[in-house]
Amino acid sequence: MKVGVPKEIKVHEYRVGLTPGAVREYVAAGHRVMIETNAGAGIGATDDDYRIVGGTILTSAAEVFASSEMIVKVKEPQPSEWCQLRENQILFTYLHLAPDPEQAKGLLKSGCTAIAYETVTDPHGGLPLLAPMSEVAGRLAIEAAGSALKRSAGGRGLLIGGVPGVQPARIVVIGGGVVGTHAARMAVGLGAEVTIIDRSILRLRELDELFEGRARTRFSTIDSVEEEVFAADVVIGAVLVPGASAPKLVRRSMLSSMRKRAVLVDVAIDQGGCFETSHPTTHADPTYEVDGIIHYCVANMPGAVPLTSSQALNNATLPFGLALANKGFTAVLENPHLRAGLNVHRGRLTYEAAAESLGLPFSPIEQAAA
Ligand SMILES: NC(=O)C1=CN([C@@H]2O[C@H](COP(=O)(O)OP(=O)(O)OC[C@H]3O[C@@H](n4cnc5c(N)ncnc54)[C@H](O)[C@@H]3O)[C@@H](O)[C@H]2O)C=CC1
Ligand SMILES: CC(=O)C(=O)O
Ligand SMILES: [Mg+2]
């Protein structure tokens, strides 16, 4: 198959869809890989690094889109990208369609087949192509909170771990999945007082064992969220209902009862965010203030550490990408985990939770593929 890798164009997005190592695997499997010039610059991979492993360098994104049967990216396609997609072309990337009606319309109009990394599943009920970036974002969330807490950045002027004789920051993590666990690990490591809230008792049991008392766990209710948020210096938003818009767990009315200049880090912003007052920000201008509370809502956090992130992402996407390159759409029909990733096919929305969030009709795969 002809596989294309355009350079990412989202603001401060430095990751790349295929690393040179991954291109080598595609080429070894008999595929032709076309990479836009400088696509790997953010991770220090030159055009020659791609040529050496058998890739072909093209001088524009337009050429890559025009000549490829499958496009492999990182971030959701931007308007100038979705209008270059076409029927019978596979798009393999993050989509986060639920809160993004414009992109949904663009993809539906293109007629392409779009497989969203974030809804591909594994046999254990996990999301294997979201997990590596959630690990990165969870860890970065505490760094982001530490920066935003500084008085010079508008925050409370608090050091996360405190010092001997002085209280550390109180950090509440809402959603104890991959992002939440990695955020909690960093926060505990720095010496913060950490509470994790989740609505899954099973998950809370696992977290209780994992942290052996170094983080508290609480079942998610309106009461527990309010109590913890009001007493927090930092709240990390890390909930997910796969494919759907995030539930709004912290309302604007709650902000006035919080500690002045506390920090909200809404990692779930790519699914619309779990704080009512969240809106997406960029690495160029990551924070803003509402009612005296600092908000950090960067929708592509892992893009800030592209070396770590591109490697981790490619490790996870490689077997699925190769299956798609080897078999085309048949791979989606044969593999239930890739099937779960199918969000758009030939002008139809094939992921129910996304369709529901968008208020658009849902078509089961069998119908869309008929
Ligand atoms: N901003 C960014 O750059 C990035 C954002 N993300 C996003 O972070 C979010 C979390 O991802 P993961 O941790 O991988 O998901 P996950 O599925 O591993 O964990 C989500 C957790 O939220 C819990 N949850 C759901 N509803 C809840 C509620 N009402 N109250 C409390 N807990 C609730 C679930 O039980 C689950 O444990 C997703 O929206 C993901 O797309 C991930 C990576 C990068
Ligand atoms: C998961 C995601 O949206 C990201 O890594 O940017
Ligand atoms: Mg994102």
Side-chain angles (χ1 to χ4, degrees):
M1 182 183 273
K2 292 180 197 150
V3 179
V5 185
K7 184 172 169 62
E8 292 297 313
I9 54 175
K10 194 163 173 152
V11 183
H12 284 289
E13 178 53 68
Y14 300 108
R15 287 171 286 180
V16 60
L18 293 181
T19 58
V23 169
R24 189 172 180 186
E25 300 285 339
Y26 278 75
V27 170
H31 304 293
R32 174 146 188 246
V33 186
M34 286 146 298
I35 304 109
E36 183 182 349
T37 183
N38 279 325
I43 60 164
T46 63
D47 288 352
D48 276 345
D49 291 333
Y50 282 105
R51 285 193 190 99
I52 287 164
V53 294
T56 304
I57 298 296
L58 299 181
T59 52
S60 68
E63 286 173 86
V64 172
F65 278 92
S67 54
S68 305
E69 295 158 274
M70 173 163 77
I71 297 289
V72 182
K73 272 178 53 59
V74 180
K75 289 311 295 180
E76 67 279 357
Q78 307 297 302
S80 68
E81 294 177 314
W82 72 57
C83 59
Q84 298 186 68
L85 292 162
R86 60 177 184 274
E87 193 162 332
N88 290 326
Q89 193 173 39
I90 295 175
L91 172 67
F92 190 42
T93 192
Y94 287 115
L95 294 180
H96 303 293
L97 282 185
D100 197 348
E102 288 309 308
Q103 190 207 159
K105 261 190 258 164
L107 291 184
L108 289 169
K109 196 169 161 210
S110 76
C112 80
T113 296
I115 295 145
Y117 289 164
E118 73 273 11
T119 65
V120 170
T121 54
D122 67 22
H124 319 290
L127 301 169
L129 306 192
L130 180 61
M133 295 306 93
S134 292
E135 290 167 351
V136 173
R139 291 175 181 216
L140 281 177
I142 300 304
E143 280 188 26
S147 299
L149 268 179
K150 289 179 186 154
R151 193 68 185 86
S152 51
R156 286 172 55 71
L158 197 66
L159 186 62
I160 284 186
V163 289
V166 181
Q167 285 268 33
R170 198 161 164 166
I171 298 188
V172 175
V173 180
I174 310 180
V178 181
V179 167
T181 304
H182 285 264
R185 277 180 60 176
M186 291 290 278
V188 163
L190 288 174
E193 200 183 312
V194 181
T195 302
I196 309 168
I197 300 178
D198 203 289
R199 66 172 181 178
S200 157
I201 297 178
L202 189 65
R203 185 63 194 147
L204 292 175
R205 282 200 188 105
E206 289 168 355
L207 290 166
D208 184 64
E209 277 192 23
L210 180 70
F211 285 103
E212 296 180 318
R214 287 167 296 140
R216 296 188 309 140
T217 57
R218 288 198 71 175
F219 183 66
S220 182
T221 61
I222 298 170
D223 270 351
S224 65
V225 168
E226 268 185 11
E227 256 177 57
E228 295 296 336
V229 167
F230 292 165
D233 299 300
V234 172
V235 182
I236 308 290
V239 301
L240 175 65
V241 178
S245 286
K248 303 287 178 220
L249 300 177
V250 176
R251 318 292 320 189
R252 179 165 191 163
S253 57
M254 293 166 67
L255 301 189
S256 57
S257 302
M258 289 180 65
R259 293 181 171 175
K260 217 58 200 154
R261 299 187 174 282
V263 171
L264 299 182
V265 177
D266 201 345
V267 185
I269 189 64
D270 53 2
Q271 294 293 141
C274 58
F275 309 137
E276 190 184 5
T277 43
S278 294
H279 62 72
T281 59
T282 65
H283 288 292
D285 190 10
T287 59
Y288 60 94
E289 192 181 318
V290 179
D291 297 344
I293 303 300
I294 313 300
H295 292 57
Y296 175 103
C297 306
V298 175
N300 61 332
M301 295 172 70
V305 287
L307 267 177
T308 304
S309 299
S310 299
Q311 189 63 60
L313 181 60
N314 273 255
N315 290 346
T317 56
L318 185 61
F320 293 96
L322 280 177
L324 286 167
N326 290 337
K327 296 190 169 181
F329 190 65
T330 305
V332 176
L333 297 175
E334 283 181 2
N335 180 333
H337 303 298
L338 263 179
R339 234 177 130 96
L342 188 71
N343 278 225
V344 174
H345 184 57
R346 292 192 172 156
R348 294 180 190 234
L349 260 178
T350 53
Y351 200 87
E352 194 164 11
E356 232 168 70
S357 295
L358 289 160
L360 290 172
F362 158 69
S363 300
I365 294 177
E366 298 70 21
Q367 220 178 64

